Amino acid sequence: MAVDPLTGFVRTVVGSDVPILVLSPHLDDAVLSCGGLLGWAGRRAPVTVASLFTEAAAPPHTLSARQYLKQTGAENADDLYAARRAEDLRVLELLDVGWRHVGLVDGLFRRLPRPRPGTALLAGLLPEVAHVYPTYRLHLSRGRVSPYDEETLRAVGEAIDALLPGTGGGLVLAPLGVGGHADHILVRTAAERCGRPVVYYSDFPYNQRADPDTRFTARHGLVARDWERGLDRKAELIRGYGTQADAMFPEGRVPMTPEVYLLPESADAAFRPRPSRTEALYGFHGIRAPRSVS
């Protein structure tokens, strides 16, 4: 029986014993989108899940952030993110993969690196003026990375460099950015520019109601492939993220759908070098849709 291209590619990567770095924008994204593959590969290869945006920030918070805290039933953001980090660790340990919580601030709470002129007093009354993404619907989920996120993009690139030293070895799994969340597209962009082979995963559950960025997939010659192994335990793993699962799946059922990965038409092309991150970062002016490691 012929082996499908994705399975053949994954077996080749696992057989070569190269490190696999899975970039998870938030403290659940890797398992939501890649839980089945992680469960299979984690027993066979050196896999590390790097969760990037793992911290909140002190109040005052924007209205969107306050609504999110209310939705989760959290009294404050610090306690919520401590709980999220703990549940992420428990789930990843079940998958037998390595993990890193990079410690960057979630886009919902991320402040401008420098206040806008004349807004210092106003920010206490209207926190939105001090944030990179003032609202969720109109800013954070619109498929655009803010020009004010230049340092954040640089920090994600540095985290990739720290976790995969050198540019010759290793494979990066990165979000495709389906749904348009700026944090996801920022991570996608850092992966695209990191100079290493990259396979993109389709962001679940957002891919159940949104389409991928076809300009991005066409530019890189990406083809979608399904992965169906390990899905039988995936719902249980997702429910391990108790602070998030009820809001994501209010009907109480996690759809059992194949995971989707996008790689070049020829799987071998995924190991062709890409431009270096330094070259690609030159002249950053904002990106269209798409602390140290602990």
Side-chain angles (χ1 to χ4, degrees), residues 24 37 128 154 170 189 208 262 268 273:
S24 183
L37 178 61
E128 283 74 5
R154 194 180 309 278
T189 303
Q208 302 301 292
L262 294 94
D268 291 340

Side-chain angles (χ1 to χ4, degrees), residues 10-154:
V10 171
R11 286 178 177 172
T12 298
V13 172
V14 169
S16 65
D17 203 38
V18 300
I20 300 172
L21 177 63
V22 184
L23 300 178
S24 183
H26 304 108
L27 290 155
D28 53 12
D29 289 314
V31 172
L32 282 166
S33 299
C34 311
L37 178 61
L38 289 174
W40 188 88
R43 301 190 303 273
R44 298 171 170 85
V47 178
T48 299
V49 174
S51 300
L52 284 307
F53 303 105
T54 60
E55 302 281 346
H61 301 309
T62 64
L63 176 61
S64 292
R66 296 196 304 273
Q67 289 174 333
Y68 169 61
L69 293 175
K70 182 178 180 181
Q71 180 186 55
T72 62
E75 294 188 5
N76 66 74
D78 284 344
D79 288 349
L80 172 61
Y81 277 74
R84 293 193 64 184
R85 291 190 296 272
E87 64 192 11
D88 186 52
L89 176 56
R90 288 193 295 269
V91 172
L92 294 179
E93 286 181 338
L94 291 174
L95 290 168
D96 198 25
V97 298
W99 60 274
R100 292 290 187 276
H101 291 163
V102 176
L104 300 174
V105 174
D106 190 308
L108 198 59
F109 298 88
R110 202 150 59 240
R111 288 190 170 85
L112 294 168
R114 289 166 295 280
R116 295 185 177 94
T119 63
L121 295 177
L122 180 60
L125 299 173
L126 187 65
E128 283 74 5
V129 302
H131 283 73
V132 175
Y133 302 100
T135 69
Y136 180 81
R137 291 187 182 277
L138 298 179
H139 300 92
L140 189 59
S141 64
R142 291 300 295 271
R144 185 189 295 272
V145 176
S146 169
Y148 294 108
D149 253 343
E150 177 179 357
E151 290 303 316
T152 306
L153 176 61
R154 194 180 309 278

